[in-house]
């Protein structure tokens, strides 16, 4: 889920400004601004049914605006990009990854900060659990089936 949802987030950022670098998980010392930096929180997973899993992850998107000749942040660029990023994610109900997976957008928060823009995008995805995954509580399921057989 993580890599696929990252690709979905990156595709939206490329729609906004295709010429900008998108750094993932680490920003090099010699990074170029303007640019994006993207990282995630750990995926929170839960089992919805015996076969269906649900995962929620929060992607943090930092935008480093261009610098003015006086080495201060271009506030207009910072505010404009904040609006563009928020609108790009808020205007959609879901994201489709390049592989075709669909991620529901649960929320979009954030905006300009001191020297950058920080927007958080929460995504939910669902997938089939691996066929060899054990049932969450196999003994309970055996008991239910046994009681059904007795009642017949």
């Amino acid at each position: 889920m993580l890599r696929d949802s990252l690709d979905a987030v990156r595709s939206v950022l490329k729609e906004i400004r295709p010429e900008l670098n998108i750094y993932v998980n680490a920003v090099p010392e010699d990074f170029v601004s303007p640019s994006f930096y993207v990282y995630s929180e750990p995926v929170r997973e839960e089992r919805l049914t015996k076969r269906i899993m649900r995962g929620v992850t929060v992607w943090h998107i930092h935008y480093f605006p261009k610098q003015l000749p006086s080495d201060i942040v271009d506030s207009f660029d910072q505010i404009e990009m904040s609006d563009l990023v928020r609108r790009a994610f808020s205007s959609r109900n879901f994201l489709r990854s390049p592989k075709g997976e669909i991620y529901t957008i649960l929320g979009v928060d954030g905006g300009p900060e001191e020297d950058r823009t920080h927007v958080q995008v929460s995504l939910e995805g669902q997938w089939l659990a691996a066929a060899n995954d054990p049932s969450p509580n196999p003994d309970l399921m055996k008991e239910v089936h046994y009681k059904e057989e007795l009642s017949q």
Side-chain angles (χ1 to χ4, degrees):
M1 173 189 180
L2 205 54
R3 174 59 194 248
D4 199 51
S5 65
L6 169 62
D7 290 342
V9 168
R10 288 174 33 180
S11 68
V12 173
L13 296 176
K14 285 293 183 188
E15 287 175 16
I16 297 170
R17 294 280 298 275
E19 75 280 5
L20 295 184
N21 289 330
I22 301 173
Y23 301 105
V24 179
N25 291 333
V27 178
E29 283 186 33
D30 60 344
F31 83 96
V32 178
S33 69
S35 59
F36 292 106
Y37 166 52
V38 179
Y39 67 94
S40 73
E41 294 179 7
V43 177
R44 295 184 314 269
E45 294 182 356
E46 68 176 314
R47 187 178 291 275
L48 296 178
T49 67
K50 181 178 178 183
R51 293 275 316 193
I52 299 175
M53 299 291 293
R54 172 185 181 260
V56 175
T57 189
V58 176
W59 284 102
H60 294 268
I61 302 166
H62 291 266
Y63 172 70
F64 297 102
K66 60 185 172 186
Q67 301 286 105
L68 296 173
S70 58
D71 277 342
I72 61 171
V73 168
D74 183 342
S75 296
F76 291 110
D77 179 47
Q78 180 184 19
I79 292 167
E80 180 183 7
M81 187 56 67
S82 174
D83 289 344
L84 286 172
V85 171
R86 288 180 53 86
R87 195 175 312 119
F89 287 99
S90 296
S91 66
R92 306 165 194 240
N93 293 323
F94 64 90
L95 298 181
R96 185 180 305 270
S97 75
K99 289 183 180 179
E101 297 295 322
I102 294 176
Y103 298 95
T104 304
I105 298 175
L106 300 177
V108 179
D109 297 309
E113 293 183 351
E114 290 177 23
D115 61 347
R116 64 180 173 234
T117 292
H118 177 209
V119 176
Q120 298 174 62
V121 179
S122 300
L123 298 178
E124 174 190 59
Q126 293 184 10
W127 63 92
L128 290 176
N132 59 357
D133 278 358
S135 173
N137 195 344
D139 293 332
L140 181 60
M141 293 303 291
K142 288 178 185 173
E143 184 179 321
V144 168
H145 290 297
Y146 179 69
K147 286 181 180 179
E148 285 177 356
E149 289 173 10
L150 289 177
S151 64
Q152 293 177 355

